[in-house]
Amino acid sequence: TRPRTALVILKFGARGMGPARAAAGRGDMVTALRSFGTAVLGREWYENLSEARLEQIRRNSFRAEFLGSGLAKLNEADVRAVTAPTLLIDGAHSPALFPHLNDRLAELLPNSERFEVRNASHMMQEDNPSAFNDAVIRFVARHSRS
C-alpha cells in the first residue's frame, strides 16, 4: 500500500539480501557480508569501516542468518498497541530503506519521537556517538519516572 516504501524494500532485497543470500549459499561469506553491509550502510560507509570492525562483523555473522526466511512481516495492530514512549533514530546518511521504515513506525506508534543523527549512516552509535548518546539521554530524561 506504500509504493515508495515497497520500492526501497525491493531495492534492498535485489542489491543487498539477494546477493548476500546467494553468496552465503555458496559459502562465500566475504561476499555475503560485503553485499549486505553495503546495502545496510551504503558503499562509502561500509568501505570506511575499520579492519577491527570488519573482523568483529565477520566473527559475529553466521551463514544461516543470510539463508533464513527474510524480513518479518509487520503486524500493524501489535505496533499500534505499543504505548511506551519510543525513540526512532535515523542516520542522516542511512540507505533509504531505514528512514522509510521509521516513517511507517512513526505513523503507527502513538507515542514516538524522531531524531536524525548527522554525519552518520546506519551504525550511528559508532559514526557519531556523541550525537546519538545525547539524543538517547535527552529522550530517557524526558520520559523517566522520578
Side-chain angles (χ1 to χ4, degrees), residues 88-126:
L88 302 172
I89 305 177
D90 298 298
H93 300 282
S94 286
L97 171 69
F98 299 106
H100 277 277
L101 293 177
N102 272 349
D103 288 345
R104 184 64 178 137
L105 289 171
E107 292 173 10
L108 296 174
L109 290 164
N111 196 12
S112 67
E113 298 175 28
R114 195 90 177 254
F115 182 79
E116 182 179 86
V117 178
R118 288 185 282 171
N119 301 318
S121 182
H122 186 59
M123 291 193 322
M124 63 220 64
Q125 76 282 1
E126 293 180 23

Side-chain angles (χ1 to χ4, degrees), residues 63-106:
R63 192 168 166 251
E65 291 176 297
F66 296 102
L67 301 176
S69 60
L71 295 173
K73 191 170 184 175
L74 181 67
N75 182 315
E76 291 184 17
D78 289 345
V79 176
R80 287 184 194 279
V82 175
T83 59
T86 306
L87 180 61
L88 302 172
I89 305 177
D90 298 298
H93 300 282
S94 286
L97 171 69
F98 299 106
H100 277 277
L101 293 177
N102 272 349
D103 288 345
R104 184 64 178 137
L105 289 171

